Amino acid sequence: MMKNIIKFCAVVLLIFTACKKEKVDKTTVQKEDELANKYDSFGDKITDEKALTSDQMLKRFSTIKVGDTINVKFASKINEVCAKKGCWMKLPVGEFETMVRFKDYGFFMPLDSKNKEVIVEGKAFVKETSVKELQHYAKDAGKSDAEIAKITDSKMEFAFEANGVLMKK
C-alpha cells in the first residue's frame, strides 16, 4: 500500500513539473516571436527588457574610469557604421558618442543601418584611443585623406563591446 502511495505521488509530481515546464517554454517561445517581429537580432540572443536610455547610459559611463568595465544594456540610435564591413558602429550617449565593437569580431551590422534604433548588451568601458586607431576608424568611415591628417591627438572615449544587438525593423 505504501509503495503505491509513493508511486502515485511521484507520478503526480512528474506531471506537475512537466506541465509547468511546458508553460515556461511556451512563454519563452512567445517572447522570442514578439522580439523577432520587432527587431533584427545580431550576436547573442538578448531581450529589450530593462534597457537604459542613452542619457541613463551617459550617467553610468561617468561613474567609471580607464580600466573599469560594467555589464549593461542600453538603447540608442546609430550615428555611424563601418562603411567597409559593418564591424563597428557609433551610438550617441547623451551629448557624447560611444564606439561599439562586437565581441570576438563575431558579427557585423548591415552597412545601411545608420539612424536605426538599436539595443546593445555587453561591456561598457572608458579607453584612451591612439591617433593611429582614430585614423584607422576615420578611413573605415570613408573620411578624406585631409580629414584623416587632421587627427593628431589621442582621445579619451566611451567604448562598448556588444555581445548582442537588437535593431528595430
Side-chain angles (χ1 to χ4, degrees):
M1 180 69 164
M2 186 62 118
K3 285 182 182 180
N4 288 339
I5 292 173
I6 292 172
K7 286 180 185 178
F8 176 75
C9 289
V11 169
V12 169
L13 183 63
L14 183 64
I15 289 171
F16 281 122
T17 304
C19 290
K20 187 175 182 178
K21 185 178 187 322
E22 186 176 317
K23 281 185 181 180
V24 170
D25 289 345
K26 284 182 183 178
T27 302
T28 302
V29 168
Q30 184 178 11
K31 284 182 180 179
E32 287 176 358
D33 287 345
E34 288 172 10
L35 279 175
N37 288 330
K38 290 172 31 179
Y39 301 100
D40 289 321
S41 180
F42 304 89
D44 292 349
K45 286 185 181 182
I46 65 170
T47 68
D48 57 355
E49 297 171 353
K50 298 181 182 178
L52 300 177
T53 66
S54 175
D55 290 332
Q56 290 170 323
M57 187 61 217
L58 178 59
K59 288 178 185 173
R60 294 293 301 272
F61 266 124
S62 68
T63 66
I64 60 177
K65 60 186 183 308
V66 174
D68 293 344
T69 61
I70 54 173
N71 293 316
V72 68
K73 181 190 320 184
F74 75 99
S76 192
K77 187 181 238 182
I78 300 172
N79 278 350
E80 190 176 351
V81 178
C82 171
K84 289 188 175 188
K85 296 184 206 174
C87 57
W88 54 261
M89 62 184 172
K90 291 184 180 180
L91 305 179
V93 284
E95 66 271 14
F96 297 98
E97 201 170 53
T98 183
M99 171 68 89
V100 178
R101 289 184 203 83
F102 309 109
K103 186 176 181 187
D104 299 328
Y105 212 57
F107 59 97
F108 304 109
M109 297 303 293
L111 301 180
D112 64 348
S113 54
K114 183 177 179 178
N115 295 320
K116 300 263 181 131
E117 293 179 33
V118 290
I119 296 172
V120 294
E121 185 175 300
K123 293 183 183 207
F125 54 100
V126 176
K127 69 175 252 179
E128 184 173 358
T129 306
S130 71
V131 171
K132 185 176 179 179
E133 195 172 354
L134 290 169
Q135 289 174 338
H136 173 80
Y137 294 141
K139 185 176 180 179
D140 281 355
K143 304 287 184 192
S144 70
D145 288 342
E147 289 173 298
I148 294 169
K150 289 180 185 177
I151 301 170
T152 58
D153 292 319
S154 63
K155 183 175 167 185
M156 294 301 286
E157 294 188 298
F158 298 136
F160 197 89
E161 181 184 81
N163 55 39
V165 177
L166 294 174
M167 185 171 67
K168 204 166 216 172
K169 289 186 177 186

